[in-house]
């Protein structure tokens, strides 16, 4: 229905042709995202989520969900990892892996996180995992087809 | 890559087989979403967005973006329309139409709005329009493939 | 520690000297906010919240909380009421009343809602109620001392 | 109008009697929050904000604002710092310092950030600074009087 290339052209011109994690990096990233659940602050949902973000320079940042009594000010694990990385000077990402304790389903990012993913490009990898370390892999742009990304916005203000 | 049916089975069992807007209803909805831009409170972006939401009983609710000095507390037109409808007792929707002043591109919902759409089902229509009233039409579930919707969540808490 | 006047000067120059609801309007508003809980979509918290917003022209808009599987995309009753009003052309408010089912405590707005209140002025009234219709009354600016409001922001970009 | 003690009793029973940063720690924290602006991703507002968070064990986490094309998915510097700390296992905080490039005004946290502050206690310090390193100091609970914090919520679900 859409191709990563077409999306890339439409949503974000900054994507690199070569930006694939190696098999070893994938295994490492998935293990790290499972560990990242440890610090989950899930006082209201009792639902633990972890994330591990691989920057293009090889640095990994982890994140967990941090909930709030107001519910609406809750943040997801994926965005925690991205905000951490950006606050340390990173804006070019290779992959993010996401974990939960749900054993029979690949944990999928919410729409808010997908929008934050495409802010930093539509062609990097998302690994949706299970606790047994199996995963489903998709591009950020595939998870948010016809996305509203930086270029669309700025062209027209 | 995915089918509306498969998504529907996965994300939300409440979808109805018959829930299509009539051609006349579509024309009306698109006109209403264009008018809805009028009240846009866009003090920081100067970007007007409008939305019109068709409930299954035929009622239409309109919305606009409402920005905030904090940026992060800004709300989109689409969510304004949905929150309005829910606060008046509606939870079953047929279609939403979205408008902006961008003349050469169909305005597309952000990921946060898509996540709020699928909270109320993955198989209702989204009309992304241009000011000339032309549109691109997709299902809510197509805009958020492999979504994290109510059923996934509640099954596993 | 601070005065409404000082805040008003600091945060928002648009406040009116005369903007008090009448005793009858207060009673009506508080009844309306209690009724507004009826449509609360609280699938995850089972916590009902209602709000009723009085515009300066006398129109009342009601709101309820609308939750989301992602938690972070949940909206509060108070913001629902404000976004509704703005989307219908209102930006000048006299008072908002908030209700929950908690019998022994006045329900108080979260910080996100308070920030949206001050976007529209620091000297209008907030009525925090109990189900028995008793209330605590404060100004929007008193609930968010030293606030980051539109004027602060725009002066310095 | 209210006392930190009363608030503490009302909003959060977990506060410690001894939790004051030393003068040296304050100077350090304020310098760190000024530096933290460096990585601000402010593509839409051109407004740089930094934060530095002091944990009770002496660790400091920095944050910056990370904006988004959708505006509503923008995160503030203060919350970035807190989410980082929580994701590394910290939940007990002593102080947060906030910086911007505004020379003649102490930068103040938005309501959303204040709500996230009180999730972790109402009696720790907020230092609102200017680029010349002068500051205004307040307790988290003073910035969000009569707050809706974890205890209020959980007592009544
Ligand atoms: Zn998310
Ligand atoms: Zn949106
Ligand atoms: Zn709120
Ligand atoms: Zn903030």
């Amino acid at each position: 229905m859409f191709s990563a290339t077409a999306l890339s052209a439409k949503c974000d011109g900054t994507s690199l042709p070569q930006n694939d994690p190696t098999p070893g990096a994938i295994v490492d990233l998935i293990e790290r995202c499972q560990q990242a659940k440890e610090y989950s602050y899930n006082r209201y949902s009792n639902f633990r989520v972890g994330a591990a973000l691989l920057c293009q320079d090889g640095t990994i940042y982890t994140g967990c969900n941090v909930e709030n009594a107001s519910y609406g000010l809750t943040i997801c694990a994926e965005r925690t990892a991205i905000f951490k990385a950006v606050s340390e000077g990173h804006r070019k990402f290779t992959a993010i892996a996401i974990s939960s304790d749900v054993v029979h389903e690949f944990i999928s990012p919410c729409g808010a996180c997908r929008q934050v993913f495409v802010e930093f490009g539509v062609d990097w990898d998302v690994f949706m995992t299970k606790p047994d370390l199996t995963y489903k892999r998709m591009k950020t742009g595939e998870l948010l087809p016809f996305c509203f990304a930086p270029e669309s916005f700025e062209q027209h203000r």
Side-chain angles (χ1 to χ4, degrees), chain A:
Chain A
M1 187 147 203
F2 59 86
S3 72
T5 315
L7 269 169
S8 183
K10 176 174 183 302
C11 291
D12 193 331
T14 64
S15 51
L16 301 183
Q18 284 296 67
N19 187 21
D20 279 344
T22 63
I26 294 172
V27 169
D28 187 33
L29 198 68
I30 288 169
E31 280 171 1
R32 293 289 297 277
C33 86
Q34 292 292 337
Q35 295 158 9
K37 287 181 296 194
E38 178 182 355
Y39 296 127
S40 166
Y41 177 80
N42 50 36
R43 186 169 184 162
Y44 309 101
S45 74
N46 294 316
F47 195 81
R48 297 197 311 161
V49 188
L53 174 69
L54 178 61
C55 303
Q56 281 189 16
D57 71 352
T59 316
I60 289 178
Y61 289 92
T62 57
C64 61
N65 53 329
V66 182
E67 299 187 346
N68 187 275
S70 72
Y71 275 50
L73 294 172
T74 294
I75 200 79
C76 299
E78 301 94 307
R79 278 178 284 166
T80 296
I82 289 180
F83 298 148
K84 265 170 97 163
V86 173
S87 76
E88 303 284 337
H90 298 269
R91 296 182 186 180
K92 293 178 188 278
F93 307 124
T94 297
I96 192 165
I98 316 167
S99 70
S100 81
D101 295 321
V102 176
V103 294
H104 55 295
E105 207 169 306
F106 298 109
I107 181 77
S108 157
C110 81
C113 289
R114 296 180 192 197
Q115 186 70 45
V116 172
F117 294 168
V118 300
E119 184 77 27
F120 301 99
V122 295
D123 64 350
W124 49 291
D125 282 308
V126 181
F127 292 89
M128 297 167 274
T129 78
K130 288 184 189 170
D132 65 6
L133 307 189
T134 57
Y135 61 80
K136 177 192 291 290
R137 176 182 185 164
M138 289 184 79
K139 292 287 180 192
T140 51
E142 287 176 308
L143 286 169
L144 204 67
F146 304 101
C147 64
F148 181 82
E151 276 68 19
S152 331
F153 183 78
E154 296 201 318
Q155 259 175 297
H156 312 296
R157 309 179 60 167

